[in-house]
PDB file of all heavy atoms in Angstrom:
ATOM      1  N   GLU A  73     101.265  40.469  54.867  1.00  0.00           N
ATOM      2  CA  GLU A  73     101.822  40.499  53.510  1.00  0.00           C
ATOM      3  C   GLU A  73     101.803  39.105  52.883  1.00  0.00           C
ATOM      4  O   GLU A  73     101.472  39.117  51.607  1.00  0.00           O
ATOM      5  CB  GLU A  73     103.339  40.932  53.721  1.00  0.00           C
ATOM      6  CG  GLU A  73     103.445  42.356  53.945  1.00  0.00           C
ATOM      7  CD  GLU A  73     104.959  42.684  54.258  1.00  0.00           C
ATOM      8  OE1 GLU A  73     105.784  41.812  54.462  1.00  0.00           O
ATOM      9  OE2 GLU A  73     105.280  43.888  54.287  1.00  0.00           O
ATOM     10  N   GLU A  74     101.950  38.003  53.608  1.00  0.00           N
ATOM     11  CA  GLU A  74     101.749  36.768  52.943  1.00  0.00           C
ATOM     12  C   GLU A  74     100.441  36.479  52.510  1.00  0.00           C
ATOM     13  O   GLU A  74     100.125  35.802  51.509  1.00  0.00           O
ATOM     14  CB  GLU A  74     102.274  35.732  53.929  1.00  0.00           C
ATOM     15  CG  GLU A  74     102.300  34.321  53.377  1.00  0.00           C
ATOM     16  CD  GLU A  74     103.143  34.157  52.195  1.00  0.00           C
ATOM     17  OE1 GLU A  74     104.220  34.859  52.090  1.00  0.00           O
ATOM     18  OE2 GLU A  74     102.804  33.294  51.326  1.00  0.00           O
ATOM     19  N   ILE A  75      99.403  36.882  53.309  1.00  0.00           N
ATOM     20  CA  ILE A  75      98.021  36.760  52.936  1.00  0.00           C
ATOM     21  C   ILE A  75      97.727  37.442  51.635  1.00  0.00           C
ATOM     22  O   ILE A  75      96.998  36.935  50.749  1.00  0.00           O
ATOM     23  CB  ILE A  75      97.090  37.270  54.054  1.00  0.00           C
ATOM     24  CG1 ILE A  75      97.105  36.380  55.255  1.00  0.00           C
ATOM     25  CG2 ILE A  75      95.574  37.318  53.644  1.00  0.00           C
ATOM     26  CD1 ILE A  75      96.475  36.827  56.535  1.00  0.00           C
ATOM     27  N   VAL A  76      98.291  38.636  51.495  1.00  0.00           N
ATOM     28  CA  VAL A  76      98.045  39.531  50.293  1.00  0.00           C
ATOM     29  C   VAL A  76      98.794  38.780  49.107  1.00  0.00           C
ATOM     30  O   VAL A  76      98.203  38.714  48.061  1.00  0.00           O
ATOM     31  CB  VAL A  76      98.746  40.944  50.520  1.00  0.00           C
ATOM     32  CG1 VAL A  76      98.895  41.685  49.126  1.00  0.00           C
ATOM     33  CG2 VAL A  76      97.811  41.682  51.448  1.00  0.00           C
ATOM     34  N   ARG A  77     100.011  38.342  49.297  1.00  0.00           N
ATOM     35  CA  ARG A  77     100.768  37.609  48.299  1.00  0.00           C
ATOM     36  C   ARG A  77     100.021  36.470  47.755  1.00  0.00           C
ATOM     37  O   ARG A  77      99.861  36.255  46.535  1.00  0.00           O
ATOM     38  CB  ARG A  77     102.064  37.139  48.790  1.00  0.00           C
ATOM     39  CG  ARG A  77     103.133  36.975  47.771  1.00  0.00           C
ATOM     40  CD  ARG A  77     104.632  36.746  48.216  1.00  0.00           C
ATOM     41  NE  ARG A  77     104.846  36.752  49.659  1.00  0.00           N
ATOM     42  CZ  ARG A  77     105.183  37.752  50.485  1.00  0.00           C
ATOM     43  NH1 ARG A  77     105.236  38.968  49.900  1.00  0.00           N
ATOM     44  NH2 ARG A  77     105.388  37.636  51.728  1.00  0.00           N
ATOM     45  N   GLU A  78      99.406  35.560  48.658  1.00  0.00           N
ATOM     46  CA  GLU A  78      98.576  34.400  48.240  1.00  0.00           C
ATOM     47  C   GLU A  78      97.360  34.942  47.503  1.00  0.00           C
ATOM     48  O   GLU A  78      96.850  34.213  46.647  1.00  0.00           O
ATOM     49  CB  GLU A  78      98.198  33.556  49.396  1.00  0.00           C
ATOM     50  CG  GLU A  78      99.455  32.810  50.009  1.00  0.00           C
ATOM     51  CD  GLU A  78      99.089  32.001  51.206  1.00  0.00           C
ATOM     52  OE1 GLU A  78      97.851  31.803  51.565  1.00  0.00           O
ATOM     53  OE2 GLU A  78     100.046  31.512  52.043  1.00  0.00           O
ATOM     54  N   ALA A  79      96.615  36.002  48.007  1.00  0.00           N
ATOM     55  CA  ALA A  79      95.511  36.350  47.457  1.00  0.00           C
ATOM     56  C   ALA A  79      95.706  36.974  46.067  1.00  0.00           C
ATOM     57  O   ALA A  79      94.933  36.653  45.194  1.00  0.00           O
ATOM     58  CB  ALA A  79      94.883  37.658  48.284  1.00  0.00           C
TER      59      ALA A  79
END
Side-chain angles (χ1 to χ4, degrees):
E73 287 174 344
E74 185 59 30
I75 293 168
V76 168
R77 202 170 2 267
E78 288 177 15

